[in-house]
Amino acid sequence: MEYANLRRQAASLKRSLFDQGYLDEQFCQVEDLQDEASPNFAEEVVSLFFKDSARLVANIEQAMEKYPGDFNRWDAHMQQLKGSCFSIGASKMSNECTSFRNSCAEENAEGCRRSFQKVKREHAILRQKLESYFQLLRQAGPARTATRSGGK
Amino acid sequence: MTTSTVQGSPVKALIVEDTPVHAFILSTILRKFHCEITVAENGNEAVQLFLEGKKFDIIFCDKEMPVMPGPEAIEKIRALGESHVKIVGVSAGYDLEQSFMSAGADIFLPKPMKFDVVGPIIQEVMNKKNNSMV
């Protein structure tokens, strides 16, 4: 059955996201909130995350350009992004946010720039992988229970 | 996650949170317990709600927010005489618990929040609210 195959592919992709450290347990907690009343809740949360995180990344980029050396400001913006990462279990991205904040604490501008590039890279990768995951789930359709084929 | 049968008026919950994703997730959890939800994006907005005479049964308050951080908002809310409202401080890092508790919070929950701890807290508030109405 195509449905079963797509579900298997989605499950495999999700497993790899955990195995490779892109996601942690918090993502499962988000998916567990899904129910009949909110069947697409996880996708809605992830969509909101990427909308908000894109804004936050742009804010950080702007802050680094307009306020060079203002590590407190840079840190404040990155803290918001890190908080957002926490909410969906985006652990790799969250770790890169921490690296950036550590560089801010050390007033290491070059370290901040390097970390920020990594944050953006992880953001793009995670976005692509989660889009693929939810696309597979959408193609598979809602979970179905097994039915006995009709007979005479 | 199980929800209990709702009796009496709904719990009025205030979420003080500048991260839209957190606010959305927590709102969804609280809706499962039939809470009436208001969201403030920073501590100052939360304090303003109380100054306008709004009442809440429970507040979930983040720490680091623009304009006014959580603990400062909690101090101001308590200073308005709002001793009855249950205040839950929510933030990443266990070392932040003290700043919330010193400000007047009742409970601290670390981020990422374990969703199954929210239910018993809401149930307790619901029970207290319903008992006070008897």
Side-chain angles (χ1 to χ4, degrees):
Chain A
M1 258 173 83
E2 184 63 16
Y3 155 79
N5 187 35
L6 287 166
R7 280 266 154 192
R8 263 196 301 275
Q9 285 182 51
S12 174
L13 176 52
K14 182 176 155 183
R15 215 167 22 248
S16 74
L17 286 169
F18 278 83
D19 290 345
Q20 291 167 29
Y22 288 102
L23 294 175
D24 63 31
E25 167 62 26
Q26 185 68 12
F27 185 77
C28 295
Q29 296 235 357
V30 172
E31 283 196 314
D32 285 347
L33 287 173
Q34 233 159 237
D35 56 20
E36 283 178 6
S38 316
N40 303 315
F41 176 73
E43 189 173 2
E44 287 171 20
V45 169
V46 167
S47 177
L48 180 59
F49 167 75
F50 281 113
K51 184 178 166 189
D52 190 48
S53 58
R55 175 184 67 86
L56 293 171
V57 165
N59 285 350
I60 294 165
E61 196 136 44
Q62 196 175 52
M64 290 176 81
E65 273 175 47
K66 277 180 79 173
Y67 305 100
D70 191 342
F71 295 102
N72 285 340
R73 187 187 295 267
W74 296 3
D75 181 69
H77 282 301
M78 187 56 81
Q79 192 199 9
Q80 283 192 292
L81 179 58
K82 184 178 170 177
S84 207
C85 291
F86 258 163
S87 63
I88 69 156
S91 51
K92 247 192 190 181
M93 224 182 118
S94 176
N95 290 342
E96 296 302 342
C97 292
T98 300
S99 292
F100 181 96
R101 297 192 70 199
N102 289 341
S103 292
C104 284
E106 295 161 3
E107 298 195 347
N108 177 357
E110 187 49 39
C112 287
R113 274 186 276 277
R114 277 199 303 270
S115 295
F116 186 51
Q117 293 309 311
K118 289 181 184 174
V119 167
K120 288 199 288 186
R121 189 167 64 238
E122 293 303 334
H123 183 251
I125 293 171
L126 184 63
R127 180 179 215 137
Q128 183 243 322
K129 288 183 182 289
L130 284 175
E131 276 176 0
S132 299
Y133 172 67
F134 285 112
Q135 187 174 27
L136 283 167
L137 288 180
R138 279 196 301 274
Q139 286 171 344
R144 299 174 190 122
T145 51
T147 54
R148 197 181 287 242
S149 57
K152 275 215 282 199
Chain B
M1 185 187 306
T2 57
T3 59
S4 60
T5 305
V6 174
Q7 293 177 354
S9 57
V11 168
K12 293 186 178 173
L14 172 62
I15 298 173
V16 191
E17 173 63 69
D18 65 328
T19 306
V21 183
H22 276 304
F24 180 60
I25 293 173
L26 187 50
S27 295
T28 301
I29 296 170
L30 294 175
R31 261 189 213 102
K32 291 181 188 287
F33 295 95
H34 310 284
C35 294
E36 256 180 42
I37 297 156
T38 304
V39 178
E41 290 185 2
N42 59 63
N44 188 54
E45 280 188 21
V47 173
Q48 288 305 313
L49 287 168
F50 281 93
L51 288 172
E52 289 166 12
K54 302 282 196 304
K55 294 294 178 189
F56 298 96
D57 300 306
I58 187 166
I59 303 173
F60 290 85
C61 189
D62 189 19
K63 183 175 184 286
E64 300 295 342
M65 290 176 287
V67 185
M68 186 186 292
E72 185 181 337
I74 292 169
E75 274 180 17
K76 289 187 186 317
I77 289 166
R78 290 294 193 210
L80 291 172
E82 299 289 341
S83 55
H84 71 283
V85 60
K86 191 153 199 97
I87 301 182
V88 183
V90 187
S91 192
Y94 285 90
D95 57 339
L96 300 171
E97 179 175 2
Q98 187 54 42
S99 61
F100 273 113
M101 305 310 280
S102 302
D106 297 295
I107 306 171
F108 172 75
L109 293 181
K111 279 181 181 174
M113 200 190 305
K114 294 285 178 265
F115 301 151
D116 55 4
V117 304
V118 176
I121 296 172
I122 296 297
Q123 190 61 59
E124 185 194 325
V125 171
M126 213 183 284
N127 290 344
K128 184 178 165 187
K129 186 177 169 117
N130 292 336
N131 287 341
S132 68
M133 286 167 63
V134 169

Short mmCIF file of all heavy atoms in Angstrom, two decimals, chain B residues 10-14 36-38 46-59 77 80-86 129:
data_model
loop_
_atom_site.label_atom_id
_atom_site.label_comp_id
_atom_site.label_asym_id
_atom_site.label_seq_id
_atom_site.Cartn_x
_atom_site.Cartn_y
_atom_site.Cartn_z
N PRO B 10 -14.44 28.62 33.57
CA PRO B 10 -13.12 28.21 33.09
C PRO B 10 -11.99 28.95 33.82
O PRO B 10 -12.17 30.08 34.29
CB PRO B 10 -13.14 28.58 31.61
CG PRO B 10 -14.21 29.60 31.47
CD PRO B 10 -15.20 29.34 32.53
N VAL B 11 -10.85 28.31 33.89
CA VAL B 11 -9.66 28.94 34.45
C VAL B 11 -9.19 30.02 33.50
O VAL B 11 -9.06 29.78 32.29
CB VAL B 11 -8.56 27.88 34.68
CG1 VAL B 11 -7.22 28.54 34.98
CG2 VAL B 11 -8.96 26.92 35.79
N LYS B 12 -8.94 31.20 34.03
CA LYS B 12 -8.44 32.31 33.20
C LYS B 12 -6.92 32.33 33.29
O LYS B 12 -6.36 32.56 34.36
CB LYS B 12 -9.01 33.64 33.72
CG LYS B 12 -10.50 33.73 33.53
CD LYS B 12 -11.04 35.09 33.91
CE LYS B 12 -12.54 35.10 33.65
NZ LYS B 12 -13.20 36.25 34.11
N ALA B 13 -6.31 32.06 32.15
CA ALA B 13 -4.85 31.93 32.11
C ALA B 13 -4.24 33.08 31.32
O ALA B 13 -4.72 33.46 30.25
CB ALA B 13 -4.47 30.60 31.45
N LEU B 14 -3.17 33.63 31.85
CA LEU B 14 -2.40 34.67 31.16
C LEU B 14 -1.05 34.07 30.81
O LEU B 14 -0.33 33.57 31.68
CB LEU B 14 -2.22 35.89 32.06
CG LEU B 14 -1.28 36.99 31.54
CD1 LEU B 14 -1.80 37.58 30.24
CD2 LEU B 14 -1.10 38.10 32.58
N GLU B 36 -9.56 29.90 29.52
CA GLU B 36 -9.68 31.15 28.76
C GLU B 36 -8.30 31.75 28.72
O GLU B 36 -7.70 31.96 29.78
CB GLU B 36 -10.59 32.13 29.52
CG GLU B 36 -11.98 32.27 28.98
CD GLU B 36 -12.79 33.25 29.82
OE1 GLU B 36 -12.25 34.30 30.21
OE2 GLU B 36 -13.95 32.91 30.09
N ILE B 37 -7.80 32.06 27.53
CA ILE B 37 -6.38 32.41 27.41
C ILE B 37 -6.20 33.84 26.93
O ILE B 37 -6.84 34.27 25.98
CB ILE B 37 -5.68 31.45 26.43
CG1 ILE B 37 -5.74 30.03 26.98
CG2 ILE B 37 -4.23 31.85 26.19
CD1 ILE B 37 -5.64 28.98 25.93
N THR B 38 -5.28 34.53 27.59
CA THR B 38 -4.84 35.84 27.13
C THR B 38 -3.32 35.76 27.00
O THR B 38 -2.67 35.12 27.82
CB THR B 38 -5.20 36.94 28.15
OG1 THR B 38 -6.59 36.90 28.39
CG2 THR B 38 -4.79 38.31 27.64
N ALA B 46 1.71 42.56 30.54
CA ALA B 46 1.04 41.78 31.59
C ALA B 46 0.62 42.68 32.74
O ALA B 46 -0.52 42.60 33.23
CB ALA B 46 1.97 40.67 32.08
N VAL B 47 1.53 43.53 33.17
CA VAL B 47 1.21 44.44 34.28
C VAL B 47 0.06 45.37 33.88
O VAL B 47 -0.85 45.62 34.68
CB VAL B 47 2.46 45.25 34.68
CG1 VAL B 47 2.10 46.32 35.70
CG2 VAL B 47 3.54 44.34 35.23
N GLN B 48 0.09 45.84 32.65
CA GLN B 48 -0.98 46.74 32.18
C GLN B 48 -2.35 46.08 32.26
O GLN B 48 -3.35 46.73 32.58
CB GLN B 48 -0.70 47.18 30.72
CG GLN B 48 0.46 48.15 30.57
CD GLN B 48 0.29 49.39 31.41
OE1 GLN B 48 -0.76 50.03 31.44
NE2 GLN B 48 1.33 49.75 32.14
N LEU B 49 -2.40 44.79 31.95
CA LEU B 49 -3.68 44.08 32.02
C LEU B 49 -4.25 44.13 33.43
O LEU B 49 -5.44 44.34 33.64
CB LEU B 49 -3.48 42.62 31.58
CG LEU B 49 -3.27 42.41 30.08
CD1 LEU B 49 -2.79 40.99 29.79
CD2 LEU B 49 -4.54 42.70 29.30
N PHE B 50 -3.37 43.94 34.42
CA PHE B 50 -3.85 44.01 35.81
C PHE B 50 -4.25 45.43 36.18
O PHE B 50 -5.24 45.64 36.89
CB PHE B 50 -2.77 43.47 36.76
CG PHE B 50 -2.70 41.98 36.79
CD1 PHE B 50 -1.84 41.28 35.96
CD2 PHE B 50 -3.52 41.26 37.65
CE1 PHE B 50 -1.79 39.90 35.98
CE2 PHE B 50 -3.48 39.87 37.68
CZ PHE B 50 -2.62 39.19 36.83
N LEU B 51 -3.49 46.41 35.68
CA LEU B 51 -3.84 47.81 35.97
C LEU B 51 -5.18 48.18 35.35
O LEU B 51 -5.89 49.06 35.86
CB LEU B 51 -2.74 48.74 35.44
CG LEU B 51 -1.42 48.71 36.23
CD1 LEU B 51 -0.34 49.51 35.51
CD2 LEU B 51 -1.61 49.23 37.65
N GLU B 52 -5.54 47.48 34.27
CA GLU B 52 -6.86 47.72 33.64
C GLU B 52 -7.98 46.99 34.36
O GLU B 52 -9.13 47.06 33.94
CB GLU B 52 -6.81 47.25 32.18
CG GLU B 52 -5.97 48.12 31.27
CD GLU B 52 -5.67 47.46 29.94
OE1 GLU B 52 -6.29 46.42 29.61
OE2 GLU B 52 -4.78 47.98 29.22
N GLY B 53 -7.61 46.25 35.40
CA GLY B 53 -8.63 45.57 36.18
C GLY B 53 -8.91 44.14 35.75
O GLY B 53 -9.84 43.50 36.25
N LYS B 54 -8.11 43.62 34.82
CA LYS B 54 -8.30 42.24 34.39
C LYS B 54 -7.87 41.30 35.52
O LYS B 54 -6.94 41.60 36.27
CB LYS B 54 -7.45 41.93 33.14
CG LYS B 54 -7.74 42.83 31.95
CD LYS B 54 -9.00 42.40 31.23
CE LYS B 54 -9.17 42.98 29.85
NZ LYS B 54 -9.12 44.42 29.75
N LYS B 55 -8.56 40.17 35.58
CA LYS B 55 -8.24 39.18 36.61
C LYS B 55 -7.89 37.86 35.97
O LYS B 55 -8.48 37.47 34.94
CB LYS B 55 -9.45 38.98 37.55
CG LYS B 55 -9.80 40.21 38.38
CD LYS B 55 -8.69 40.54 39.37
CE LYS B 55 -9.03 41.79 40.17
NZ LYS B 55 -7.89 42.26 40.98
N PHE B 56 -6.94 37.18 36.57
CA PHE B 56 -6.53 35.87 36.06
C PHE B 56 -6.37 34.90 37.21
O PHE B 56 -6.10 35.29 38.35
CB PHE B 56 -5.21 35.98 35.28
CG PHE B 56 -5.30 36.87 34.07
CD1 PHE B 56 -4.91 38.20 34.16
CD2 PHE B 56 -5.81 36.40 32.88
CE1 PHE B 56 -5.02 39.05 33.06
CE2 PHE B 56 -5.92 37.23 31.77
CZ PHE B 56 -5.53 38.56 31.87
N ASP B 57 -6.55 33.62 36.90
CA ASP B 57 -6.37 32.59 37.92
C ASP B 57 -4.94 32.06 37.92
O ASP B 57 -4.44 31.58 38.94
CB ASP B 57 -7.32 31.42 37.66
CG ASP B 57 -8.77 31.86 37.68
OD1 ASP B 57 -9.18 32.48 38.70
OD2 ASP B 57 -9.49 31.61 36.70
N ILE B 58 -4.30 32.13 36.75
CA ILE B 58 -2.94 31.60 36.64
C ILE B 58 -2.17 32.38 35.58
O ILE B 58 -2.76 32.83 34.59
CB ILE B 58 -2.95 30.07 36.33
CG1 ILE B 58 -1.54 29.49 36.37
CG2 ILE B 58 -3.60 29.77 34.97
CD1 ILE B 58 -1.52 27.95 36.42
N ILE B 59 -0.89 32.56 35.83
CA ILE B 59 0.00 33.23 34.88
C ILE B 59 1.16 32.30 34.59
O ILE B 59 1.77 31.74 35.51
CB ILE B 59 0.58 34.54 35.46
CG1 ILE B 59 -0.53 35.50 35.89
CG2 ILE B 59 1.49 35.22 34.43
CD1 ILE B 59 -0.01 36.73 36.64
N ILE B 77 3.12 42.77 39.75
CA ILE B 77 1.77 42.20 39.84
C ILE B 77 1.44 41.87 41.29
O ILE B 77 0.34 42.16 41.79
CB ILE B 77 1.65 40.95 38.93
CG1 ILE B 77 1.64 41.39 37.46
CG2 ILE B 77 0.39 40.14 39.25
CD1 ILE B 77 1.85 40.27 36.47
N LEU B 80 0.58 44.84 43.32
CA LEU B 80 -0.77 45.36 43.11
C LEU B 80 -1.79 44.67 44.00
O LEU B 80 -2.99 44.94 43.91
CB LEU B 80 -1.17 45.17 41.63
CG LEU B 80 -0.42 46.03 40.60
CD1 LEU B 80 -0.78 45.59 39.19
CD2 LEU B 80 -0.74 47.50 40.79
N GLY B 81 -1.31 43.73 44.81
CA GLY B 81 -2.22 43.02 45.71
C GLY B 81 -2.75 41.73 45.12
O GLY B 81 -3.67 41.14 45.67
N GLU B 82 -2.16 41.31 44.00
CA GLU B 82 -2.66 40.09 43.35
C GLU B 82 -1.98 38.87 43.98
O GLU B 82 -1.09 38.25 43.39
CB GLU B 82 -2.38 40.15 41.84
CG GLU B 82 -3.04 41.31 41.13
CD GLU B 82 -4.55 41.13 41.04
OE1 GLU B 82 -5.03 39.98 41.19
OE2 GLU B 82 -5.25 42.13 40.79
N SER B 83 -2.39 38.56 45.20
CA SER B 83 -1.74 37.47 45.92
C SER B 83 -2.36 36.11 45.58
O SER B 83 -1.74 35.08 45.78
CB SER B 83 -1.84 37.71 47.42
OG SER B 83 -3.20 37.90 47.78
N HIS B 84 -3.59 36.12 45.05
CA HIS B 84 -4.29 34.86 44.84
C HIS B 84 -3.88 34.16 43.55
O HIS B 84 -3.98 32.94 43.44
CB HIS B 84 -5.80 35.12 44.76
CG HIS B 84 -6.18 35.83 43.48
ND1 HIS B 84 -5.97 37.17 43.29
CD2 HIS B 84 -6.69 35.35 42.32
CE1 HIS B 84 -6.36 37.50 42.06
NE2 HIS B 84 -6.80 36.43 41.45
N VAL B 85 -3.41 34.93 42.57
CA VAL B 85 -3.15 34.35 41.25
C VAL B 85 -1.92 33.45 41.31
O VAL B 85 -0.88 33.82 41.90
CB VAL B 85 -3.00 35.45 40.18
CG1 VAL B 85 -1.86 36.40 40.50
CG2 VAL B 85 -2.81 34.86 38.80
N LYS B 86 -2.05 32.24 40.76
CA LYS B 86 -0.93 31.30 40.76
C LYS B 86 0.03 31.74 39.65
O LYS B 86 -0.38 31.91 38.50
CB LYS B 86 -1.40 29.89 40.47
CG LYS B 86 -0.32 28.83 40.72
CD LYS B 86 -0.96 27.52 41.05
CE LYS B 86 -0.02 26.57 41.73
NZ LYS B 86 -0.12 26.55 43.18
N LYS B 129 -10.51 27.17 42.51
CA LYS B 129 -11.49 28.13 42.01
C LYS B 129 -12.89 27.64 42.27
O LYS B 129 -13.77 28.39 42.72
CB LYS B 129 -11.25 28.33 40.51
CG LYS B 129 -12.09 29.39 39.86
CD LYS B 129 -11.69 29.53 38.39
CE LYS B 129 -12.71 30.38 37.69
NZ LYS B 129 -12.21 31.62 37.16
#
